[in-house]
């Protein structure tokens, strides 16, 4: 029988101070200190992150396939399927194909990729290919502008080949919490400046370029107004978050707004 009165011994290991000396900041390499000292994000970085997140989330929610007719696109893609199969069977591996498609989706909305797409879209052959695939009609030349210049009345004409033309643009802004109205737009919507028909968009007014006329390639354009001015007949029009339900006064339910700008120039038509 064990003795109940026998005491139990309890041992505890206590390391000596010589085995683990205290570490000071001077003993830590500067690379480790710089890696551990991560700076806190700025207010602009937080706004950019929220901007990207809300834009992608709103695009996923508001995407409505009924507004677009994808039937011609699906038919053309199905007709090109044998070409894809032949290409991947003899020239490109499936792994390389998946990598290329994945990389493209990742860089599709990057700044330089958007600029490259705009440059390619100026080519006539690119517009013809897109028209064939999507069954959409793209303007190949500035015929409408050219006809409008030729049909100007005598009030806006100095002579037969010298016309006074007025260009109009829309100035767009979006309201952000903490920033107010500014020209920082969502990546899927219109840019801060665009034409009335939304065919051309610009981040800055200095990006505006005169149209190239097909039958008058040597025409000269001269600005009459020094800067773009606000159209006196129009003021800010306030819209909701999706650029709909416009009204002439601001309210807490309005997050976007636009107004018209105009600028006159002189064009001398030369073939």
């Amino acid at each position: 029988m064990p003795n109940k009165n026998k005491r139990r011994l309890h041992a505890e290991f206590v390391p000596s101070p010589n085995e683990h000396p205290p570490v000071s900041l001077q003993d830590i390499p500067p690379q480790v200190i710089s890696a551990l000292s991560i700076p806190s994000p700025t207010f602009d970085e937080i706004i950019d992150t929220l901007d990207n997140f809300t834009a992608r989330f709103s695009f996923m929610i508001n995407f409505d396939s009924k507004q677009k007719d994808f039937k011609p696109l699906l038919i053309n893609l199905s007709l090109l399927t044998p070409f894809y199969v032949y290409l991947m069977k003899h020239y490109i591996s499936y792994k390389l194909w998946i990598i290329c498609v994945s990389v493209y989706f990742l860089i599709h909305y990057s700044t330089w990729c958007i600029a490259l797409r705009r440059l390619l879209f100026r080519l006539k052959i690119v517009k013809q290919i897109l028209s064939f695939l999507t069954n959409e009609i793209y303007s190949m030349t500035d015929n409408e502008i050219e006809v409008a210049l030729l049909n100007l009345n005598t009030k806006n004409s100095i002579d037969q080949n010298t016309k006074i033309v007025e260009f109009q643009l829309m100035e767009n802004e979006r309201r952000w919490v903490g920033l107010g109205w500014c020209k920082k737009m969502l990546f899927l919507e219109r840019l801060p400046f665009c034409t009335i028909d939304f065919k051309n968009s610009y981040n800055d007014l200095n990006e505006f370029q005169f149209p190239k006329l097909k039958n008058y390639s040597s025409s000269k354009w001269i600005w009459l107004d020094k800067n773009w001015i606000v159209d006196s007949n129009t003021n800010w029009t306030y819209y909701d978050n999706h650029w709909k339900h416009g009204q002439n006064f601001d309210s807490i339910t309005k997050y976007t707004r636009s107004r018209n700008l105009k600028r006159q120039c002189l064009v001398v038509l030369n073939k």
Side-chain angles (χ1 to χ4, degrees):
M1 295 292 293
N3 189 4
K4 296 182 179 180
N5 297 327
K6 188 176 181 180
R7 295 182 179 179
R8 294 182 179 179
L9 298 177
H10 177 71
E12 182 179 358
F13 176 75
V14 179
S16 62
N18 296 328
E19 294 182 1
H20 299 282
V23 180
S24 61
L25 293 177
Q26 297 178 355
D27 300 331
I28 302 177
Q31 296 83 358
V32 178
I33 297 177
S34 60
L36 294 176
S37 58
I38 301 176
S40 58
T42 61
F43 185 74
D44 293 336
E45 292 175 349
I46 296 175
I47 291 295
D48 290 336
T49 304
L50 293 176
D51 178 15
N52 293 330
F53 176 77
T54 54
R56 286 166 173 77
F57 189 73
S58 62
F59 174 74
M60 294 173 60
I61 293 178
N62 299 324
F63 182 76
D64 187 6
S65 60
K66 296 181 180 179
Q67 297 179 358
K68 293 287 185 179
D69 186 11
F70 291 101
K71 187 181 296 183
L73 179 61
L74 294 177
I75 293 175
N76 292 322
L77 289 178
S78 62
L79 293 176
L80 292 175
T81 301
F83 173 74
Y84 296 148
V85 174
Y86 177 80
L87 191 66
M88 289 186 291
K89 192 174 182 180
H90 295 84
Y91 297 99
I92 301 177
S93 62
Y94 292 97
K95 184 177 180 180
L96 180 60
W97 181 269
I98 294 174
I99 292 175
C100 293
V101 173
S102 302
V103 170
Y104 175 77
F105 276 107
L106 291 175
I107 65 175
H108 181 74
Y109 289 109
S110 61
T111 304
W112 63 270
C113 190
I114 294 175
L116 180 61
R117 291 202 306 271
R118 289 178 179 174
L119 291 176
L120 292 176
F121 194 72
R122 295 181 181 179
L123 300 177
K124 186 177 181 180
I125 184 65
V126 175
K127 293 182 179 180
Q128 291 176 346
I129 294 174
L130 292 176
S131 299
F132 172 75
L133 293 177
T134 61
N135 202 25
E136 294 284 345
I137 299 176
Y138 298 97
S139 177
M140 301 299 174
T141 57
D142 294 321
N143 291 330
E144 296 180 359
I145 298 178
E146 193 167 333
V147 172
L149 290 176
L150 295 176
N151 293 334
L152 285 176
N153 53 29
T154 56
K155 183 178 180 180
N156 295 330
S157 303
I158 298 177
D159 53 43
Q160 185 177 0
N161 294 326
T162 306
K163 314 285 184 178
I164 297 177
V165 184
E166 182 180 270
F167 289 102
Q168 291 187 354
L169 293 179
M170 292 181 63
E171 182 182 6
N172 308 306
E173 291 184 352
R174 174 173 284 275
R175 182 177 10 218
W176 296 92
V177 178
L179 297 178
W181 293 103
C182 61
K183 290 181 172 54
K184 186 174 182 58
M185 318 297 289
L186 299 179
F187 74 104
L188 282 176
E189 63 182 353
R190 62 184 71 173
L191 293 181
F193 301 96
C194 64
T195 55
I196 304 298
D197 54 4
F198 304 104
K199 290 183 178 180
N200 298 318
S201 300
Y202 314 96
N203 286 312
D204 189 83
L205 289 175
N206 296 326
E207 298 179 2
F208 178 83
Q209 295 181 354
F210 292 115
K212 295 181 180 180
L213 306 180
K214 181 179 180 181
N215 298 322
Y216 298 90
S217 57
S218 301
S219 300
K220 295 182 180 180
W221 302 81
I222 302 173
W223 286 117
L224 296 179
D225 295 332
K226 187 176 181 180
N227 297 309
W228 292 88
I229 58 177
V230 179
D231 192 351
S232 58
N233 297 325
T234 60
N235 205 342
W236 287 110
T237 303
Y238 298 87
Y239 305 91
D240 58 9
N241 194 40
H242 304 288
W243 298 93
K244 297 180 181 179
H245 309 293
Q247 62 185 27
N248 296 327
F249 55 91
D250 191 8
S251 65
I252 59 175
T253 60
K254 304 302 179 183
Y255 296 95
T256 56
R257 67 178 183 178
S258 63
R259 64 180 178 181
N260 292 346
L261 304 177
K262 63 180 182 179
R263 191 176 184 182
Q264 288 187 346
C265 71
L266 185 70
V267 55
V268 180
L269 301 176
N270 292 321
K271 294 185 178 180

